């Protein structure tokens, strides 16, 4: 017989498979059923996105140096992935690459003239 649990939101007795796992709870599952959590997230999507964007902006600002170090290390350790990404991107957007190269060559020429 499958164990059941009462959802704190909808007050229904549901099987444990209807609840997400949560190690911090005594029974190892969330208090709200998956359906209620999903309904809440859909009803408050804009509010949750706004909060997340603000949180990430503050985090990036406060940890800029740490994030740049991590990114540089990742790029160093994954050069093949970076190169393949650039190749794919350039293949999808050839005009953008041409425009970039024009600007790059002009700057290079201007720097050599000085």
């Amino acid at each position: 017989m499958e164990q059941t649990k009462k959802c704190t939101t909808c007050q229904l007795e549901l099987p444990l498979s209807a609840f997400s796992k949560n190690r911090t709870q005594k029974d190892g599952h969330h208090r709200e059923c998956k359906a209620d959590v999903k309904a809440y997230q859909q009803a408050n999507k804009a509010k949750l996105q706004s909060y997340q964007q603000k949180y990430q902006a503050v985090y990036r600002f406060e940890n800029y140096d740490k994030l740049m170090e991590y990114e540089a290390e990742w790029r160093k350790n994954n050069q093949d992935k970076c190169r393949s990404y650039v190749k794919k991107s350039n293949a999808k957007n050839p005009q953008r690459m041409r425009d970039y190269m024009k600007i790059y060559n002009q700057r290079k020429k201007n720097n050599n003239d000085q």
Side-chain angles (χ1 to χ4, degrees), residues 74-89:
W74 187 90
R75 286 179 184 274
K76 180 180 170 186
N77 295 333
N78 296 284
Q79 290 179 354
D80 54 334
K81 287 183 184 180
C82 292
R83 285 186 188 115
S84 67
Y85 173 80
V86 169
K87 282 183 181 179
K88 287 178 187 176
S89 177

Side-chain angles (χ1 to χ4, degrees), residues 4-9 11-14 19 30-32:
T4 61
K5 180 177 180 169
K6 187 175 182 180
C7 175
T8 57
T9 305
Q11 303 298 319
L12 295 175
E13 193 76 23
L14 301 168
F19 296 86
H30 279 282
R31 295 173 293 165
E32 298 89 11

Side-chain angles (χ1 to χ4, degrees), residues 44-56:
N44 297 288
K45 189 173 185 176
K47 179 176 138 183
L48 294 171
Q49 282 179 338
S50 173
Y51 171 79
Q52 187 67 19
Q53 287 172 345
K54 289 176 186 174
Y55 175 83
Q56 288 177 353

Side-chain angles (χ1 to χ4, degrees), residues 46-75:
K47 179 176 138 183
L48 294 171
Q49 282 179 338
S50 173
Y51 171 79
Q52 187 67 19
Q53 287 172 345
K54 289 176 186 174
Y55 175 83
Q56 288 177 353
V58 169
Y59 180 84
R60 285 189 200 110
F61 180 77
E62 291 174 352
N63 297 288
Y64 181 80
D65 294 333
K66 178 181 170 183
L67 292 171
M68 289 299 107
E69 286 177 24
Y70 173 80
E71 183 178 327
E73 185 69 24
W74 187 90
R75 286 179 184 274

Side-chain angles (χ1 to χ4, degrees), residues 16 21 71 82 98:
L16 286 179
K21 294 194 185 231
E71 183 178 327
C82 292
R98 281 189 223 110

Side-chain angles (χ1 to χ4, degrees), residues 85-99:
Y85 173 80
V86 169
K87 282 183 181 179
K88 287 178 187 176
S89 177
N90 291 343
K92 286 182 183 177
N93 306 298
Q95 186 60 43
R96 185 184 65 162
M97 187 60 184
R98 281 189 223 110
D99 295 343

